[in-house]
Amino acid sequence: MKGLLFYLMILLSAGQMAFSQSTITGKLVDEYSLPIPHATVMIENTTKGAITDFDGIFNIEASEGDVLVISCVGFEKTRVTVGSKENYEITLKESVSQLDQIVVVGYGSKKKSSITGSVATVKAEELTQAPTTTTTELLAGRVPGLITKQTTGVPGDDATSINIRGFGNALILVDGLQTPMDRVDPNDIETISVLKDASAAVYGSRAGNGVVLITTKRGKIGKPQISFHNNTSFQQPTQSRTYVDSWDYATLVRESDLNGGGALDDTYTSGDVQKFKSGNDPSYVNQDWNDAVFKKWTPMVQHNLNITGGTEKVKYFTSIGLLDQEGAFKSGDLNFSRYNVRSNIDVQLNDKLSFGVDLSYRRENRDSPGTDLSSMYQMLKTAQPVYSAFLPDTDRAAYSGFGTRSPYAATKKDFAGFDDDVREYLIGKVQLKYQFDFGLSAKVVFNYES
């Protein structure tokens, strides 16, 4: 009997060794050894997976013999079998399945298969799949070799920087005009082309870091078509600090006093600790400062109405958009709203002469506290849980410890002033084009921006 038990223990131990898992670390790169962020790594036939970070690195629990299925927009799906090692560098190849599509380049439009340089495209339907405030956020993970970086989540100031293959900020052109990408409503965009190397050479030295070409929607021959798009979404902070409870804080202060050469009861007594813990005495609070300052969820509402249509002589596209985004502060004094209007009109005057007018207007309202938000976060970092975030007199700011006021007060408009920022942008483009009989054309363009 003992021999049988010993044999079973050996089998169980062997089974555990056979199915033991370890943390596999990998890095995904493209054919130019540049990292690939936002790629998906899944263990085949399971729901276990991971997503690569900004540096193309992922970590996943896997066993020897598991198959990793790696996929990313613009790259071929790749399978890697886990072996005995725990670190992998995996190179993904760009997908060639879209080589016959028509893409916009600096000198017109071409078949992708006929272009010697590297060009990637994003279509309109891909840009409106997820609600965001700016177009730049929508490009994250959709174009191989394009790296996006968002440094702030403040409503209205959350624009994302774009660089191609790590060479610096790319040149952004909207319908041929140099325009910041965050001034374009994603609902107005027809296609986005990213020119990475030789394909961008036509734009000269300013295109050394690559070019992003944005083409807005235009009118089409047919009866007027009216479409309305509405989206209501909710956002929340991805990370927050975890604070100790007030009784744990008081206990730590007692130990600090003792270690500093003082008495154990110099600041708080054991009775104070019990009062903090019981919560029956209003003078002994347990304040969660994250809960006092931040909302759990913040709403964001988007509306867009557009009309398109035309005849052989006149084609038109008109769009009206509204975005309303609330900040994450409970005070409600950090908000952003945007109103935008676009009108693209194309007129065929005769067989050779055409005329086009593009107008775009945008109004942005930013409401924010007058204080620097970094100061508020510094206050939040040092706030002590033994102080209440609010006072009975709402006109007075509470104390949070270490000689600072309540970080909640720093998010209110009556703290060190209030910044009510209104910005307006108007962009106009008038184009006259003449088509000669021998195949060439001449174009005159007038631009206005304010």
Side-chain angles (χ1 to χ4, degrees):
M1 186 68 180
K2 291 182 178 179
L4 179 60
L5 289 174
F6 179 72
Y7 180 69
L8 289 173
M9 289 175 65
I10 292 176
L11 287 178
L12 289 172
S13 177
Q16 290 177 350
M17 292 177 61
F19 293 96
S20 63
Q21 292 187 328
S22 59
T23 300
I24 302 300
T25 300
K27 181 176 182 180
L28 301 186
V29 297
D30 61 14
E31 295 171 308
Y32 300 92
S33 298
L34 292 171
I36 302 176
H38 309 296
T40 302
V41 182
M42 299 290 296
I43 297 180
E44 195 171 37
N45 300 323
T46 71
T47 58
K48 185 183 296 186
I51 297 177
T52 58
D53 62 13
F54 184 77
D55 297 316
I57 296 174
F58 68 90
N59 295 283
I60 192 170
E61 294 288 335
S63 303
E64 186 173 345
D66 285 342
V67 177
L68 304 181
V69 181
I70 304 167
S71 58
C72 184
V73 175
F75 293 94
E76 295 181 359
K77 185 176 290 187
T78 303
R79 287 176 168 80
V80 176
T81 302
V82 177
S84 58
K85 63 180 183 178
E86 296 182 351
N87 292 281
Y88 295 83
E89 180 168 312
I90 304 166
T91 301
L92 301 188
K93 295 182 179 180
E94 291 190 13
S95 174
V96 296
S97 61
Q98 300 177 341
L99 289 180
D100 289 332
Q101 71 183 58
I102 302 297
V103 297
V104 177
V105 292
Y107 39 83
S109 58
K110 291 279 187 178
K111 268 192 176 183
K112 195 171 184 180
S113 57
S114 66
I115 301 173
T116 57
S118 179
V119 179
T121 60
V122 181
K123 296 183 179 179
E125 54 268 22
E126 298 180 67
L127 294 172
T128 54
Q129 290 178 349
T132 61
T133 57
T134 62
T135 304
T136 50
E137 296 177 44
L138 297 171
L139 293 180
R142 298 184 184 276
V143 178
L146 187 143
I147 302 172
T148 62
K149 185 177 181 180
Q150 182 176 346
T151 57
T152 176
V154 177
D157 287 324
D158 53 355
T160 304
S161 64
I162 290 181
N163 67 71
I164 299 172
R165 293 177 175 167
F167 292 119
N169 292 331
L171 176 65
I172 310 295
L173 298 177
V174 180
D175 290 334
L177 304 180
Q178 184 175 354
T179 306
M181 189 178 292
D182 58 347
R183 295 187 191 174
V184 186
D185 189 333
N187 294 283
D188 296 344
I189 296 176
E190 185 69 37
T191 61
I192 296 179
S193 296
V194 180
L195 314 184
K196 302 179 184 179
D197 39 44
S199 56
V202 68
Y203 291 103
S205 60
R206 300 178 68 186
N209 297 330
V211 181
V212 178
L213 298 180
I214 299 177
T215 304
T216 59
K217 295 178 181 178
R218 311 201 71 83
K220 299 178 181 179
I221 297 176
K223 295 181 179 180
Q225 295 184 354
I226 302 175
S227 63
F228 177 74
H229 172 77
N230 168 263
N231 184 282
T232 301
S233 57
F234 294 88
Q235 301 172 311
Q236 67 173 153
T238 55
Q239 292 183 338
S240 60
R241 291 188 177 94
T242 301
Y243 294 86
V244 297
D245 294 315
S246 58
W247 54 90
D248 290 328
Y249 174 79
T251 300
L252 292 171
V253 171
R254 282 166 53 84
E255 294 178 2
S256 175
D257 290 340
L258 184 62
N259 293 333
L264 193 61
D265 295 337
D266 277 353
T267 307
Y268 297 107
T269 66
S270 58
D272 292 333
V273 174
Q274 290 304 317
K275 288 180 180 180
F276 280 124
K277 198 166 188 178
S278 64
N280 297 326
D281 190 333
S283 299
Y284 292 82
V285 300
N286 179 33
Q287 181 64 61
D288 184 338
W289 284 98
N290 275 329
D291 184 64
V293 173
F294 295 106
K295 301 176 184 177
K296 297 294 184 184
W297 297 92
T298 58
M300 183 175 70
V301 180
Q302 291 177 295
H303 304 287
N304 181 266
L305 174 68
N306 64 66
I307 305 173
T308 183
T311 64
E312 292 183 356
K313 295 294 185 181
V314 180
K315 291 178 285 188
Y316 55 87
F317 169 81
T318 302
S319 172
I320 301 174
L322 166 65
L323 168 71
D324 188 27
Q325 182 185 17
E326 293 186 15
F329 298 143
K330 277 189 174 179
S331 64
D333 289 339
L334 180 64
N335 302 289
F336 173 72
S337 60
R338 181 192 72 210
Y339 310 88
N340 57 275
V341 179
R342 174 174 290 276
S343 177
N344 295 340
I345 300 175
D346 298 303
V347 181
Q348 191 70 39
L349 299 176
N350 53 47
D351 293 340
K352 297 182 179 180
L353 188 62
S354 62
F355 176 76
V357 178
D358 297 352
L359 292 174
S360 174
Y361 171 76
R362 181 182 179 97
R363 178 186 173 93
E364 299 176 351
N365 297 330
R366 291 177 175 84
D367 297 337
S368 60
T371 184
D372 183 6
L373 292 181
S374 61
S375 301
M376 185 280 299
Y377 280 100
Q378 186 63 31
M379 296 177 189
L380 187 63
K381 181 180 179 180
T382 59
Q384 301 174 28
V386 296
Y387 296 104
S388 176
F390 310 100
L391 294 177
D393 184 358
T394 57
D395 292 332
R396 300 177 66 85
Y399 177 76
S400 63
F402 295 109
T404 59
R405 300 172 69 184
S406 164
Y408 171 81
T411 67
K412 293 180 64 64
K413 62 183 181 182
D414 54 0
F415 182 86
F418 181 65
D419 186 11
D420 186 4
D421 186 15
V422 178
R423 304 178 188 178
E424 293 182 291
Y425 306 95
L426 176 63
I427 300 175
K429 174 184 174 183
V430 178
Q431 175 178 292
L432 193 64
K433 183 178 180 180
Y434 185 84
Q435 184 70 45
F436 295 100
D437 292 331
F438 45 85
L440 296 180
S441 62
K443 182 167 61 175
V444 178
V445 179
F446 173 76
N447 302 326
Y448 173 81
E449 181 176 357
S450 67

